[in-house]
Amino acid sequence: MTIQLYNTLTRKKEEFIPLEAGKVKMYVCGPTVYNYIHIGNARPAIVFDTVRRYFEFRGFDVQYVSNFTDVDDKLIKAANQLGEDVPTIANRFIQAYFEDVSALGCKQADVHPRVTENMDIIIDFIATLIDKGFAYESEGDVYYRTRKFNGYGKLSHQSIDELKVGARIDVGEKKQDALDFALWKAAKEGEIAWESPWGLGRPGWHIECSAMAKKYLGETIDIHAGGQDLAFPHHENEIAQSEALTGKQFARYWMHNGYINIDNEKMSKSLGNFVLVHDIIKKHDPEVIRFFMLSVHYRNPINYSDELLENTKAALERLKTSYQNLKHRKEASTNLTDNNQGWLDKIHGLEAEFVREMDDDFNTANGISTLFELSKLANHYLIEKNTATEVIDAFTNLFEKLFAVLGLSLGAQELLDEEIEALIQERIQARKDRNFQRSDEIRDQLKEMNIILEDTPQGTRWKRG
């Protein structure tokens, strides 16, 4: 079986063939760190973390790079409003980013390069584009000659003539053509700036990713990914810059995740429905948010609401309940049953189904459906009077393997602290002794500690309320 992915560049699914066998070079555009990330930023973080995990599950060695834009107009504006300098603002929100995406189950990239730490390579990149005739200096600014690059528009599937209609030269810009875009911006008074051959200034937005992708992954990479909103002009401009510099294809596959709506409306500050991850993870379990994001195919739009998150929470709990019931039953299981192989074949069949779905453009929505089939099969198996340890282990191992691919945990009971564990054991003994008053007292006490007990045929289970 081979992995098929939808390539924005060709607008079709293609077999993934890496540049180097067994390896994936992957660059994902990261945030501009002037504030806490919003739920729209969270989607690519979760989606492409899962893509990375699945490649690793399939045996690939993944080099994963995701940048931070730690200087630009938004950061300068925030610094002026707060009376702080740009590095202080950037450092604060980079730390906040790590805290938020870690809560959402995302692993850190192998490298998280910052613009301010790579200024030399950015300046050299721009200087080479000037030498090649693809860029020009104008009163301290540097612009890219868009018309000179023959392939411009190939990612967004637009022609130069179509783009020209909406192009304009804004006040203060000194470019030769409305389609040209900034590679370097001359510093205004009081702004953070760096020395360059064109005077004090700072990079334009698009050049940073081209320069850092080349530095950390090479002249041609396997996958470049990000939100759908980045396809044009950001990614289009990256292609123009990089391929003009090297004469080689910049990225072989382009992946873009769909938009997020809030209560069926496009998220925007003007509508007042701008949702920060920093706020919603205080209200909702971050793991539920991740599960929710993966319940829709990454290229499709997704509608976010509190009600949908509550439904997702219940669905995730059902899967975890199946897993915990299996763990409870294991102690009473043997390997003396006669029909083990039939069950094992069904379990292996579901793993193969999960792989087929994920191989088809990382279809986590269908992959999750397979998890529910696994849960249904496990619940059916637990009706059996005699269960086998071998089969129970096969079920639990597959739950753990697939949850790990999706970046989810199964909430193992060992996470309880000693005091709560002791109370649960005391309650179990009280029930055996028919001391129901004490049993109820412990249940109420644990409830106050946000621990909900459920007495099932497989034993007493717990969950956090």
Side-chain angles (χ1 to χ4, degrees), residues 231-248:
F232 184 85
H234 186 52
H235 290 164
E236 193 77 69
N237 290 351
E238 283 187 59
I239 291 174
Q241 295 160 165
S242 296
E243 296 187 2
L245 184 90
T246 67
K248 300 176 183 178

Side-chain angles (χ1 to χ4, degrees), residues 248-264:
K248 300 176 183 178
Q249 184 176 21
F250 176 38
R252 302 180 70 213
Y253 305 92
W254 289 84
M255 298 179 67
H256 295 95
N257 63 272
Y259 291 112
I260 290 184
N261 294 323
I262 308 294
D263 292 322
N264 294 309

Side-chain angles (χ1 to χ4, degrees), residues 333-340 381 386-390:
S333 299
T334 69
N335 269 331
L336 301 178
T337 56
D338 297 326
N339 61 345
N340 290 2
Y381 180 69
N386 297 315
T387 53
T389 303
E390 180 184 19

Side-chain angles (χ1 to χ4, degrees), residues 39-44 257-262 265-267 292-293 300-304:
I39 193 69
N41 303 131
R43 191 176 192 191
N257 63 272
Y259 291 112
I260 290 184
N261 294 323
I262 308 294
E265 287 189 299
K266 184 177 179 180
M267 183 176 66
F292 169 74
M293 291 287 191
N300 293 337
I302 188 170
N303 185 49
Y304 171 93

